[in-house]
Amino acid sequence: MNKPGVPAAAALLILAVLAAGCTEFSTSSDDAGTCLGDTDTQTIDEMYRQVDYLWHRELGGDMLTNPIASGGQLYVATSGIDILGNGHVFALDAATGEELWRYQTLNDYGFAEDAAAAVLIEGDLYVVPQSDGYLYRLDSTTGELLWRTPHVGRGSQPAMSGGFVYTKPSSGGPVHALHTDTGEVAWTYSQTNFFGYQRLAVSEDAVYGTTWLDIRALDKDSGQLRWVFDGNARERGLRVADGIVIASGTLYELDENPGGSLYAIDAATGDLMWRRGLSAQSIVLRNDTVYAGTGESPLLANDHPGPVRALDIATGEDRWRSETCGRPFAGPDGVLYVVNGWRFSALNEHTGERLWSYDLSPAPTPMQPGDEAQATPSEWELLVAGSHSSAWLTAPVWKSDEVHLGSADGRVFALDALTGELRWQSDVQTPIATEYFRMMLAAYIHPAPAVGDEVVYVTNGGLVAFSAHSR
C-alpha cells in the first residue's frame, strides 16, 4: 500500500520553547512532585500494520479549526494563502472525500475572510470568521446561509443553550445573546470586555466568562450581572458542573505562585469555595471529580510538566496524585488519557494508577548514508514544519473501542481504548497539525483527529482519511 503524502504548507516562524523533559520541578508546595520515568513504558517500533487508507484531499489552506465528523459528512474550515484571506468552509463526504458544498465568508467590503472557529450545534454549522465580526449559521446539509449577524466580535467559539447562541470576541468585547432561529440580538452585556478563544461556559440559568480583570456571571435569559469574582482564567476557559465553576488562573490577592491557581467558585453566589496552588494546563470534569495537569509544550507559559491530579469538585481535596505527568483528556468510563511531549499514557481514573504508556518519539535515522551516527528530527524542524508548531502529539480521541491520535512527524495511531494494544499505525510523510501557537492571533488550540463511524481524519494543510476499522 502506498503511504499518502500531504505537501507541507509554508513554514511559519514562531518563538517557542520545548521543555527539557519530565523532571522534578517546584512552582509551589502544591505543585511539587516528580514524574514517573520510563518504567513500564513501551515503544512502537514494529512494521506498519495493514491500514485501509481511504482518501487524501488538499483544501488550499491551513486548518484553523478541528474537522468535525457527523452523519456521514466532514466539516472543516481553512485559511487562505494570501494576506486578504480566501479560506472556505467545506462539507465533504466522509467515506470518499468528495466535496458536497463549500461556503466562503465575505466581509462588508467584499473580501473573503478566514474562519477562526466553526462548531456544529443541533445539526447546523456556526462559523466565526477571523476578523470581520460576524457569525454565520449554515445549513449543514446544503451549505445554505440561514442567517448572518454582525453582533459577535471575532475568533471565539459560540456556545448554545435554551434557544440562544452566546458569543464574545476573542480579543475583548461585549457578550451577546442571539436568538437561534433568526440571529437577532436578545440582549447585550457591554459594561466590560470579555476575552478568550474558549467559548463561554453555560449552565441551566447563567453564562460565565472571564474579562481582563475578573470572572463574571450573567443571567442567561436577560444578561443581567449576577456576580463578579476577583480572579481570571487566562486562555484556558471556564468549566461548570454541579453548580460549581472551575478555573485555572490568577487570584490577585491570594496567589504567590507565578503559575497561578486551580480554584472553584460557587456558581450561584460567586463565592470562592476552594483553591489549590497548582497550575492546570488541561482540565477534565467527570463524576464529581476535577482532573488537572500540565504537559511538556513549546508554549512559553507551559514548559513545566506536572503530575496529573484528581480533586473532589466540591472540596478541592486530593483523591489521588499520579506519578504520571501531562495533560489529561477524557477516555472511556474508568480511563483517563494523558499526553506529555511524545509520551501517551492511560490512567485508572479512580486510582491514578498508570495502566499503560507509550513513548512515541520518532525512530532514530542515519544522518548520512553510511554514517553510524543516529539522529531524530530536531526540535526546531518539528516546531516550524508546515504552518504549525508542534507539541508532538494531537489530543487523543476515542470512539467505541479505539483511541486515535497523530504525531508531529506525520504518524497516526489507533490503539485499543482500554488495553493500549496497537491496532494499526501509518505514516502520512508530513507533519500532522498538533498543538500550535499563532503569533499573530496569540492563540493556541489542541487539534485532534475527527473520528466518524467509518474513518479517521488528520489535518496538515489537507485531510487524510483511514478506515477506523483497519487491523
Side-chain angles (χ1 to χ4, degrees):
M1 180 193 70
N2 294 327
K3 299 174 185 176
V6 183
L12 173 66
L13 193 60
I14 65 166
L15 296 175
V17 174
L18 174 68
C22 194
T23 57
E24 184 173 351
F25 72 101
S26 179
T27 57
S28 76
S29 59
D30 229 351
D31 256 346
T34 56
C35 301
L36 194 64
D38 295 332
T39 305
D40 299 326
T41 297
Q42 310 168 72
T43 59
I44 295 180
D45 56 4
E46 59 189 89
M47 296 292 292
Y48 291 107
R49 299 190 179 189
Q50 180 64 37
V51 179
D52 295 330
Y53 162 61
L54 297 179
W55 51 264
H56 156 236
R57 185 181 183 91
E58 292 183 60
L59 296 176
D62 292 326
M63 311 296 164
L64 295 183
T65 65
N66 288 348
I68 304 167
S70 178
Q73 295 190 20
L74 181 70
Y75 307 97
V76 65
T78 66
S79 68
I81 58 175
D82 60 58
I83 193 170
L84 295 178
N86 62 357
H88 290 79
V89 181
F90 291 89
L92 307 177
D93 184 281
T96 65
E98 177 186 0
E99 181 179 319
L100 301 176
W101 56 258
R102 70 169 67 185
Y103 185 89
Q104 187 171 41
T105 59
L106 300 176
N107 62 26
D108 290 336
Y109 301 98
F111 294 114
E113 290 281 348
D114 296 336
V119 294
L120 188 67
I121 306 176
E122 296 186 0
D124 289 324
L125 199 64
Y126 293 81
V127 180
V128 181
Q130 187 166 303
S131 60
D132 78 349
Y134 283 83
L135 173 67
Y136 297 75
R137 181 187 177 193
L138 306 179
D139 184 292
S140 62
T141 302
T142 64
E144 176 189 359
L145 176 65
L146 300 178
W147 50 254
R148 172 180 182 260
T149 177
H151 303 287
V152 178
R154 58 178 68 99
S156 180
Q157 293 185 355
M160 181 174 170
S161 178
F164 295 106
V165 178
Y166 302 96
T167 71
K168 60 173 172 51
S170 59
S171 56
V175 173
H176 294 289
L178 312 175
H179 290 286
T180 305
D181 292 338
T182 64
E184 295 179 353
V185 176
W187 56 259
T188 298
Y189 182 85
S190 57
Q191 295 180 23
T192 188
N193 291 330
F194 288 69
F195 79 102
Y197 287 88
Q198 301 290 336
R199 70 185 65 184
L200 294 159
V202 182
S203 68
E204 292 182 357
D205 57 0
V207 179
Y208 310 89
T210 183
T211 76
W212 302 114
L213 298 175
D214 53 44
I215 293 171
R216 301 195 175 203
L218 309 177
D219 184 274
K220 193 169 71 172
D221 295 325
S222 67
Q224 291 184 344
L225 180 65
R226 289 193 166 189
W227 49 255
V228 179
F229 180 83
D230 188 21
N232 69 39
R234 300 178 180 167
E235 278 294 343
R236 297 166 189 168
L238 302 172
R239 312 288 192 277
V240 58
D242 300 327
I244 300 173
V245 178
I246 301 296
S248 177
T250 302
L251 294 174
Y252 303 112
E253 296 182 358
L254 299 175
D255 275 341
E256 297 179 357
N257 174 21
S261 294
L262 178 69
Y263 56 94
I265 306 167
D266 187 304
T269 66
D271 295 331
L272 178 66
M273 297 179 62
W274 54 261
R275 66 174 289 270
R276 298 294 299 270
L278 56 93
S279 177
Q281 183 183 348
S282 183
I283 299 171
V284 175
L285 299 185
R286 191 159 67 176
N287 299 330
D288 68 17
T289 303
V290 180
Y291 301 97
T294 60
E296 186 177 81
S297 166
L299 301 179
L300 296 175
N302 299 320
D303 57 356
H304 294 295
V308 177
R309 312 282 282 271
L311 311 176
D312 185 286
I313 193 172
T315 66
E317 296 179 355
D318 277 326
R319 289 189 165 168
W320 51 257
R321 184 167 93 174
S322 177
E323 291 182 311
T324 298
C325 286
R327 294 173 290 153
F329 295 89
D333 187 35
V335 177
L336 200 67
Y337 295 125
V338 180
V339 172
N340 183 43
W342 287 107
R343 193 180 305 278
F344 178 49
S345 307
L347 305 183
N348 182 319
E349 72 172 48
H350 305 295
T351 66
E353 177 188 2
R354 193 159 77 176
L355 303 174
W356 45 264
S357 183
Y358 282 101
D359 181 353
L360 299 177
S361 302
T365 55
M367 295 182 66
Q368 295 179 353
D371 190 345
E372 295 182 357
Q374 302 287 305
T376 59
S378 72
E379 296 167 3
W380 181 249
E381 288 172 334
L382 290 170
L383 284 168
V384 301
S387 62
H388 306 289
S389 72
S390 304
W392 321 146
L393 298 175
T394 67
V397 174
W398 69 274
K399 184 169 184 179
S400 185
D401 63 344
E402 283 190 344
V403 58
H404 305 270
L405 73 163
S407 68
D409 66 330
R411 291 169 295 152
V412 292
F413 305 90
L415 308 173
D416 185 288
L418 296 178
T419 68
E421 178 189 0
L422 178 67
R423 295 283 181 84
W424 56 262
Q425 67 168 317
S426 188
D427 187 349
V428 299
Q429 299 179 330
T430 191
I432 290 171
T434 61
E435 178 186 355
Y436 67 89
F437 181 86
R438 304 189 72 244
M439 181 177 292
M440 294 182 65
L441 290 181
Y444 62 92
I445 63 174
H446 299 273
V451 181
D453 293 334
E454 297 298 332
V455 291
V456 178
Y457 314 94
V458 185
T459 70
N460 187 50
L463 300 178
V464 181
F466 301 89
S467 169
H469 308 292
S470 300
R471 291 293 183 270

